[in-house]
Amino acid sequence: MEVFGTPLDPISIGIGIGIGVILITLLSPKTASSSGQIINPSIQKNEPKVATMCPLQDIEDSISKSDKGVLAYCRCWRSENFPYCDGAHAKHNKETGDNTGPLVIKK
């Protein structure tokens, strides 16, 4: 086989592919699902699925009572005040390189 007029042997091709696979494996960002980590470490683990339902009136009331006029819902699953955000994502992001943050609802 020739590439740009230069002959390539099968060993060189194999080495090139091997190096490529190693680089992709080492340089690819790790996600929770690819690393085998559980995303939800502790919230409602006895339930088959966690689905938080908040009536619109409750959301509006919480926003009205808020100092800043916003309501923040946790998306990192680490809040001690789940389903509300307590800022736990900052520590999670620092430890994992993730970039998660809350769902912020503003009036």
mmCIF file of all heavy atoms in Angstrom, residues 20-57:
data_model
loop_
_atom_site.group_PDB
_atom_site.id
_atom_site.type_symbol
_atom_site.label_atom_id
_atom_site.label_comp_id
_atom_site.label_asym_id
_atom_site.label_seq_id
_atom_site.Cartn_x
_atom_site.Cartn_y
_atom_site.Cartn_z
ATOM 1 N N GLY A 20 -3.359 5.998 17.871
ATOM 2 C CA GLY A 20 -4.599 6.775 17.780
ATOM 3 C C GLY A 20 -5.618 6.364 18.828
ATOM 4 O O GLY A 20 -6.230 7.205 19.494
ATOM 5 N N VAL A 21 -5.801 5.056 19.016
ATOM 6 C CA VAL A 21 -6.751 4.558 20.015
ATOM 7 C C VAL A 21 -6.324 4.973 21.424
ATOM 8 O O VAL A 21 -7.136 5.411 22.235
ATOM 9 C CB VAL A 21 -6.895 3.017 19.915
ATOM 10 C CG1 VAL A 21 -7.647 2.453 21.106
ATOM 11 C CG2 VAL A 21 -7.590 2.628 18.616
ATOM 12 N N ILE A 22 -5.045 4.862 21.719
ATOM 13 C CA ILE A 22 -4.535 5.258 23.042
ATOM 14 C C ILE A 22 -4.765 6.744 23.273
ATOM 15 O O ILE A 22 -5.226 7.151 24.349
ATOM 16 C CB ILE A 22 -3.045 4.893 23.187
ATOM 17 C CG1 ILE A 22 -2.886 3.372 23.265
ATOM 18 C CG2 ILE A 22 -2.434 5.566 24.412
ATOM 19 C CD1 ILE A 22 -1.458 2.889 23.154
ATOM 20 N N LEU A 23 -4.481 7.580 22.282
ATOM 21 C CA LEU A 23 -4.675 9.025 22.438
ATOM 22 C C LEU A 23 -6.143 9.378 22.636
ATOM 23 O O LEU A 23 -6.481 10.207 23.495
ATOM 24 C CB LEU A 23 -4.104 9.768 21.231
ATOM 25 C CG LEU A 23 -2.584 9.819 21.150
ATOM 26 C CD1 LEU A 23 -2.138 10.455 19.837
ATOM 27 C CD2 LEU A 23 -2.007 10.577 22.331
ATOM 28 N N ILE A 24 -7.027 8.746 21.884
ATOM 29 C CA ILE A 24 -8.462 9.016 22.035
ATOM 30 C C ILE A 24 -8.927 8.621 23.432
ATOM 31 O O ILE A 24 -9.662 9.342 24.085
ATOM 32 C CB ILE A 24 -9.274 8.278 20.949
ATOM 33 C CG1 ILE A 24 -9.054 8.962 19.602
ATOM 34 C CG2 ILE A 24 -10.760 8.242 21.295
ATOM 35 C CD1 ILE A 24 -9.639 8.219 18.426
ATOM 36 N N THR A 25 -8.476 7.474 23.900
ATOM 37 C CA THR A 25 -8.865 6.996 25.228
ATOM 38 C C THR A 25 -8.364 7.932 26.318
ATOM 39 O O THR A 25 -9.096 8.259 27.261
ATOM 40 C CB THR A 25 -8.304 5.573 25.476
ATOM 41 O OG1 THR A 25 -8.779 4.702 24.447
ATOM 42 C CG2 THR A 25 -8.718 5.043 26.820
ATOM 43 N N LEU A 26 -7.153 8.397 26.208
ATOM 44 C CA LEU A 26 -6.572 9.257 27.241
ATOM 45 C C LEU A 26 -7.099 10.686 27.201
ATOM 46 O O LEU A 26 -7.223 11.335 28.232
ATOM 47 C CB LEU A 26 -5.043 9.283 27.115
ATOM 48 C CG LEU A 26 -4.322 7.976 27.434
ATOM 49 C CD1 LEU A 26 -2.836 8.120 27.146
ATOM 50 C CD2 LEU A 26 -4.551 7.567 28.878
ATOM 51 N N LEU A 27 -7.394 11.189 26.008
ATOM 52 C CA LEU A 27 -7.754 12.594 25.864
ATOM 53 C C LEU A 27 -9.252 12.854 25.822
ATOM 54 O O LEU A 27 -9.674 14.005 25.896
ATOM 55 C CB LEU A 27 -7.101 13.172 24.605
ATOM 56 C CG LEU A 27 -5.574 13.131 24.605
ATOM 57 C CD1 LEU A 27 -5.034 13.667 23.292
ATOM 58 C CD2 LEU A 27 -5.005 13.910 25.779
ATOM 59 N N SER A 28 -10.080 11.824 25.720
ATOM 60 C CA SER A 28 -11.527 12.016 25.681
ATOM 61 C C SER A 28 -12.025 12.422 27.055
ATOM 62 O O SER A 28 -11.604 11.860 28.062
ATOM 63 C CB SER A 28 -12.234 10.721 25.265
ATOM 64 O OG SER A 28 -11.934 10.395 23.944
ATOM 65 N N PRO A 29 -12.951 13.414 27.094
ATOM 66 C CA PRO A 29 -13.498 13.804 28.388
ATOM 67 C C PRO A 29 -14.289 12.660 29.003
ATOM 68 O O PRO A 29 -14.972 11.929 28.305
ATOM 69 C CB PRO A 29 -14.406 14.993 28.068
ATOM 70 C CG PRO A 29 -14.581 14.998 26.606
ATOM 71 C CD PRO A 29 -13.489 14.173 25.997
ATOM 72 N N LYS A 30 -14.177 12.518 30.304
ATOM 73 C CA LYS A 30 -14.900 11.468 31.009
ATOM 74 C C LYS A 30 -16.254 12.017 31.453
ATOM 75 O O LYS A 30 -16.334 13.091 32.020
ATOM 76 C CB LYS A 30 -14.130 10.998 32.244
ATOM 77 C CG LYS A 30 -12.742 10.483 31.930
ATOM 78 C CD LYS A 30 -12.798 9.191 31.152
ATOM 79 C CE LYS A 30 -11.412 8.651 30.900
ATOM 80 N NZ LYS A 30 -11.180 8.191 29.585
ATOM 81 N N THR A 31 -17.301 11.275 31.185
ATOM 82 C CA THR A 31 -18.633 11.637 31.652
ATOM 83 C C THR A 31 -19.059 10.638 32.711
ATOM 84 O O THR A 31 -18.470 9.577 32.841
ATOM 85 C CB THR A 31 -19.652 11.620 30.492
ATOM 86 O OG1 THR A 31 -19.723 10.288 29.971
ATOM 87 C CG2 THR A 31 -19.261 12.588 29.394
ATOM 88 N N ALA A 32 -20.093 10.997 33.445
ATOM 89 C CA ALA A 32 -20.556 10.112 34.512
ATOM 90 C C ALA A 32 -20.938 8.752 33.959
ATOM 91 O O ALA A 32 -20.618 7.725 34.527
ATOM 92 C CB ALA A 32 -21.741 10.741 35.247
ATOM 93 N N SER A 33 -21.630 8.734 32.818
ATOM 94 C CA SER A 33 -22.073 7.448 32.282
ATOM 95 C C SER A 33 -20.907 6.643 31.717
ATOM 96 O O SER A 33 -20.876 5.431 31.838
ATOM 97 C CB SER A 33 -23.142 7.656 31.217
ATOM 98 O OG SER A 33 -22.638 8.445 30.166
ATOM 99 N N SER A 34 -19.921 7.301 31.140
ATOM 100 C CA SER A 34 -18.804 6.552 30.568
ATOM 101 C C SER A 34 -17.833 6.064 31.632
ATOM 102 O O SER A 34 -17.114 5.103 31.441
ATOM 103 C CB SER A 34 -18.053 7.392 29.528
ATOM 104 O OG SER A 34 -17.351 8.437 30.146
ATOM 105 N N SER A 35 -17.824 6.733 32.791
ATOM 106 C CA SER A 35 -16.915 6.313 33.851
ATOM 107 C C SER A 35 -17.571 5.314 34.792
ATOM 108 O O SER A 35 -16.934 4.820 35.699
ATOM 109 C CB SER A 35 -16.427 7.533 34.641
ATOM 110 O OG SER A 35 -17.518 8.120 35.328
ATOM 111 N N GLY A 36 -18.853 5.025 34.588
ATOM 112 C CA GLY A 36 -19.544 4.062 35.419
ATOM 113 C C GLY A 36 -20.008 4.626 36.748
ATOM 114 O O GLY A 36 -20.484 3.897 37.596
ATOM 115 N N GLN A 37 -19.891 5.933 36.960
ATOM 116 C CA GLN A 37 -20.312 6.546 38.207
ATOM 117 C C GLN A 37 -21.829 6.728 38.203
ATOM 118 O O GLN A 37 -22.438 6.996 37.178
ATOM 119 C CB GLN A 37 -19.654 7.904 38.396
ATOM 120 C CG GLN A 37 -18.168 7.832 38.580
ATOM 121 C CD GLN A 37 -17.556 9.223 38.659
ATOM 122 O OE1 GLN A 37 -18.161 10.204 38.273
ATOM 123 N NE2 GLN A 37 -16.348 9.305 39.159
ATOM 124 N N ILE A 38 -22.422 6.607 39.379
ATOM 125 C CA ILE A 38 -23.843 6.870 39.529
ATOM 126 C C ILE A 38 -24.039 8.372 39.619
ATOM 127 O O ILE A 38 -23.338 9.053 40.363
ATOM 128 C CB ILE A 38 -24.376 6.165 40.790
ATOM 129 C CG1 ILE A 38 -24.296 4.659 40.591
ATOM 130 C CG2 ILE A 38 -25.788 6.614 41.110
ATOM 131 C CD1 ILE A 38 -24.654 3.862 41.811
ATOM 132 N N ILE A 39 -24.981 8.898 38.872
ATOM 133 C CA ILE A 39 -25.222 10.339 38.865
ATOM 134 C C ILE A 39 -25.934 10.764 40.147
ATOM 135 O O ILE A 39 -25.600 11.767 40.747
ATOM 136 C CB ILE A 39 -26.032 10.738 37.621
ATOM 137 C CG1 ILE A 39 -25.179 10.495 36.387
ATOM 138 C CG2 ILE A 39 -26.501 12.177 37.699
ATOM 139 C CD1 ILE A 39 -25.908 10.633 35.082
ATOM 140 N N ASN A 40 -26.925 10.009 40.576
ATOM 141 C CA ASN A 40 -27.666 10.307 41.797
ATOM 142 C C ASN A 40 -27.099 9.456 42.930
ATOM 143 O O ASN A 40 -27.411 8.276 43.024
ATOM 144 C CB ASN A 40 -29.154 10.004 41.596
ATOM 145 C CG ASN A 40 -29.973 10.138 42.864
ATOM 146 O OD1 ASN A 40 -29.478 10.565 43.897
ATOM 147 N ND2 ASN A 40 -31.227 9.752 42.788
ATOM 148 N N PRO A 41 -26.289 10.036 43.807
ATOM 149 C CA PRO A 41 -25.653 9.229 44.849
ATOM 150 C C PRO A 41 -26.542 8.875 46.034
ATOM 151 O O PRO A 41 -26.285 7.888 46.710
ATOM 152 C CB PRO A 41 -24.482 10.099 45.302
ATOM 153 C CG PRO A 41 -24.944 11.492 45.056
ATOM 154 C CD PRO A 41 -25.812 11.420 43.828
ATOM 155 N N SER A 42 -27.612 9.676 46.314
ATOM 156 C CA SER A 42 -28.319 9.409 47.568
ATOM 157 C C SER A 42 -29.793 9.810 47.630
ATOM 158 O O SER A 42 -30.448 9.522 48.621
ATOM 159 C CB SER A 42 -27.586 10.123 48.704
ATOM 160 O OG SER A 42 -27.600 11.527 48.476
ATOM 161 N N ILE A 43 -30.333 10.439 46.636
ATOM 162 C CA ILE A 43 -31.683 10.997 46.743
ATOM 163 C C ILE A 43 -32.734 9.984 46.314
ATOM 164 O O ILE A 43 -32.708 9.481 45.187
ATOM 165 C CB ILE A 43 -31.795 12.287 45.908
ATOM 166 C CG1 ILE A 43 -30.842 13.326 46.482
ATOM 167 C CG2 ILE A 43 -33.225 12.806 45.874
ATOM 168 C CD1 ILE A 43 -30.577 14.507 45.605
ATOM 169 N N GLN A 44 -33.636 9.665 47.226
ATOM 170 C CA GLN A 44 -34.772 8.769 46.994
ATOM 171 C C GLN A 44 -34.349 7.468 46.304
ATOM 172 O O GLN A 44 -34.967 7.017 45.350
ATOM 173 C CB GLN A 44 -35.861 9.476 46.181
ATOM 174 C CG GLN A 44 -36.440 10.676 46.875
ATOM 175 C CD GLN A 44 -37.443 11.424 46.015
ATOM 176 O OE1 GLN A 44 -37.826 10.982 44.939
ATOM 177 N NE2 GLN A 44 -37.861 12.580 46.481
ATOM 178 N N LYS A 45 -33.296 6.837 46.815
ATOM 179 C CA LYS A 45 -32.755 5.628 46.202
ATOM 180 C C LYS A 45 -33.709 4.435 46.292
ATOM 181 O O LYS A 45 -33.537 3.455 45.583
ATOM 182 C CB LYS A 45 -31.401 5.267 46.817
ATOM 183 C CG LYS A 45 -30.320 6.320 46.576
ATOM 184 C CD LYS A 45 -30.114 6.616 45.115
ATOM 185 C CE LYS A 45 -29.265 5.585 44.450
ATOM 186 N NZ LYS A 45 -28.918 5.881 43.074
ATOM 187 N N ASN A 46 -34.720 4.516 47.166
ATOM 188 C CA ASN A 46 -35.687 3.427 47.261
ATOM 189 C C ASN A 46 -36.735 3.480 46.153
ATOM 190 O O ASN A 46 -37.520 2.560 45.995
ATOM 191 C CB ASN A 46 -36.372 3.447 48.638
ATOM 192 C CG ASN A 46 -37.085 4.770 48.889
ATOM 193 O OD1 ASN A 46 -36.657 5.813 48.403
ATOM 194 N ND2 ASN A 46 -38.150 4.736 49.661
ATOM 195 N N GLU A 47 -36.742 4.545 45.377
ATOM 196 C CA GLU A 47 -37.688 4.709 44.269
ATOM 197 C C GLU A 47 -37.063 4.245 42.957
ATOM 198 O O GLU A 47 -35.872 4.445 42.741
ATOM 199 C CB GLU A 47 -38.083 6.185 44.129
ATOM 200 C CG GLU A 47 -38.745 6.775 45.361
ATOM 201 C CD GLU A 47 -40.114 6.182 45.640
ATOM 202 O OE1 GLU A 47 -40.820 5.811 44.678
ATOM 203 O OE2 GLU A 47 -40.473 6.072 46.828
ATOM 204 N N PRO A 48 -37.879 3.668 42.045
ATOM 205 C CA PRO A 48 -37.326 3.245 40.757
ATOM 206 C C PRO A 48 -36.926 4.426 39.862
ATOM 207 O O PRO A 48 -36.048 4.305 39.018
ATOM 208 C CB PRO A 48 -38.450 2.431 40.116
ATOM 209 C CG PRO A 48 -39.690 2.842 40.833
ATOM 210 C CD PRO A 48 -39.277 3.294 42.201
ATOM 211 N N LYS A 49 -37.590 5.570 40.075
ATOM 212 C CA LYS A 49 -37.272 6.774 39.293
ATOM 213 C C LYS A 49 -37.628 7.986 40.141
ATOM 214 O O LYS A 49 -38.660 8.004 40.801
ATOM 215 C CB LYS A 49 -38.085 6.785 37.992
ATOM 216 C CG LYS A 49 -37.924 8.051 37.189
ATOM 217 C CD LYS A 49 -38.631 8.006 35.854
ATOM 218 C CE LYS A 49 -40.115 8.030 35.996
ATOM 219 N NZ LYS A 49 -40.826 8.167 34.719
ATOM 220 N N VAL A 50 -36.781 8.991 40.125
ATOM 221 C CA VAL A 50 -37.058 10.216 40.866
ATOM 222 C C VAL A 50 -37.652 11.232 39.893
ATOM 223 O O VAL A 50 -37.009 11.613 38.921
ATOM 224 C CB VAL A 50 -35.772 10.797 41.507
ATOM 225 C CG1 VAL A 50 -36.089 12.089 42.249
ATOM 226 C CG2 VAL A 50 -35.133 9.792 42.428
ATOM 227 N N ALA A 51 -38.885 11.622 40.174
ATOM 228 C CA ALA A 51 -39.554 12.648 39.371
ATOM 229 C C ALA A 51 -40.159 13.645 40.351
ATOM 230 O O ALA A 51 -41.041 13.296 41.135
ATOM 231 C CB ALA A 51 -40.630 12.030 38.492
ATOM 232 N N THR A 52 -39.672 14.859 40.336
ATOM 233 C CA THR A 52 -40.140 15.881 41.262
ATOM 234 C C THR A 52 -41.192 16.726 40.567
ATOM 235 O O THR A 52 -40.925 17.309 39.516
ATOM 236 C CB THR A 52 -38.967 16.771 41.716
ATOM 237 O OG1 THR A 52 -37.949 15.930 42.257
ATOM 238 C CG2 THR A 52 -39.405 17.776 42.755
ATOM 239 N N MET A 53 -42.374 16.771 41.163
ATOM 240 C CA MET A 53 -43.456 17.569 40.595
ATOM 241 C C MET A 53 -43.706 18.758 41.508
ATOM 242 O O MET A 53 -43.897 18.587 42.712
ATOM 243 C CB MET A 53 -44.710 16.722 40.438
ATOM 244 C CG MET A 53 -44.468 15.563 39.495
ATOM 245 S SD MET A 53 -45.901 14.640 38.974
ATOM 246 C CE MET A 53 -47.026 15.852 38.453
ATOM 247 N N CYS A 54 -43.669 19.946 40.936
ATOM 248 C CA CYS A 54 -43.899 21.171 41.697
ATOM 249 C C CYS A 54 -45.035 21.944 41.032
ATOM 250 O O CYS A 54 -44.885 22.379 39.881
ATOM 251 C CB CYS A 54 -42.647 22.035 41.718
ATOM 252 S SG CYS A 54 -41.259 21.279 42.546
ATOM 253 N N PRO A 55 -46.139 22.127 41.734
ATOM 254 C CA PRO A 55 -47.227 22.916 41.157
ATOM 255 C C PRO A 55 -46.757 24.342 40.860
ATOM 256 O O PRO A 55 -45.955 24.916 41.608
ATOM 257 C CB PRO A 55 -48.304 22.912 42.248
ATOM 258 C CG PRO A 55 -47.988 21.710 43.085
ATOM 259 C CD PRO A 55 -46.491 21.571 43.034
ATOM 260 N N LEU A 56 -47.245 24.902 39.793
ATOM 261 C CA LEU A 56 -46.850 26.241 39.366
ATOM 262 C C LEU A 56 -47.076 27.264 40.467
ATOM 263 O O LEU A 56 -46.251 28.150 40.685
ATOM 264 C CB LEU A 56 -47.608 26.635 38.096
ATOM 265 C CG LEU A 56 -47.252 27.968 37.471
ATOM 266 C CD1 LEU A 56 -45.766 28.037 37.161
ATOM 267 C CD2 LEU A 56 -48.061 28.204 36.213
ATOM 268 N N GLN A 57 -48.177 27.125 41.203
ATOM 269 C CA GLN A 57 -48.464 28.077 42.286
ATOM 270 C C GLN A 57 -47.374 28.035 43.361
ATOM 271 O O GLN A 57 -46.965 29.067 43.875
ATOM 272 C CB GLN A 57 -49.838 27.794 42.920
ATOM 273 C CG GLN A 57 -50.258 28.845 43.924
ATOM 274 C CD GLN A 57 -50.406 30.228 43.292
ATOM 275 O OE1 GLN A 57 -51.107 30.390 42.294
ATOM 276 N NE2 GLN A 57 -49.748 31.226 43.859
#
